Amino acid sequence: MALKGSEVGIPRDRFPVAEEGEYYWTDLQGMQVVNREGVHLGSVDSLFSNGAQSVLVVRCGDHEGEWLIPFVAAFVDDVDEATRRIRVDWRPEWQ
């Protein structure tokens, strides 16, 4: 009970290697997000779980809102760790 409400962390080099197609949330944060048409939607500000899947919170400096994009194959085409870019099937007008 002494640690209730505390944050617990471990050094990155102690993380298990992620399986193919799996990512640590910390690795996705800050990645640029573009749609299939090449429109830059913003960058991953944070993530959360809605119980069924992880959700990307994408924010853009010139856009006042945010996009909540489910991190599932139906919407996420690929994650390129080398270029730190996520390509999604998402329209800018979808809020």
Side-chain angles (χ1 to χ4, degrees):
M1 291 300 222
L3 295 178
K4 185 175 182 178
S6 299
E7 289 190 32
V8 177
I10 61 170
R12 178 55 194 241
D13 62 356
R14 301 291 308 256
F15 284 20
V17 175
E19 298 289 326
E20 178 71 30
E22 293 182 353
Y23 306 93
Y24 286 106
W25 284 7
T26 190
D27 294 336
L28 299 174
Q29 289 177 306
M31 283 192 173
Q32 299 302 304
V33 180
V34 297
N35 70 9
R36 289 178 174 174
E37 291 73 34
V39 175
H40 179 257
L41 299 175
S43 61
V44 178
D45 181 69
S46 60
L47 294 97
F48 67 90
S49 174
N50 66 9
Q53 69 258 328
S54 298
V55 178
L56 301 169
V57 178
V58 178
R59 295 180 191 239
C60 186
D62 62 350
H63 178 73
E64 290 189 19
E66 63 187 14
W67 289 276
L68 303 179
I69 303 174
F71 193 69
V72 296
F75 298 111
V76 177
D77 291 334
D78 62 83
V79 175
D80 187 334
E81 293 179 274
T83 63
R84 298 205 31 84
R85 179 174 286 181
I86 300 172
R87 188 167 53 100
V88 296
D89 182 13
W90 202 261
R91 296 253 181 248
E93 61 271 13
W94 295 351
Q95 287 281 336

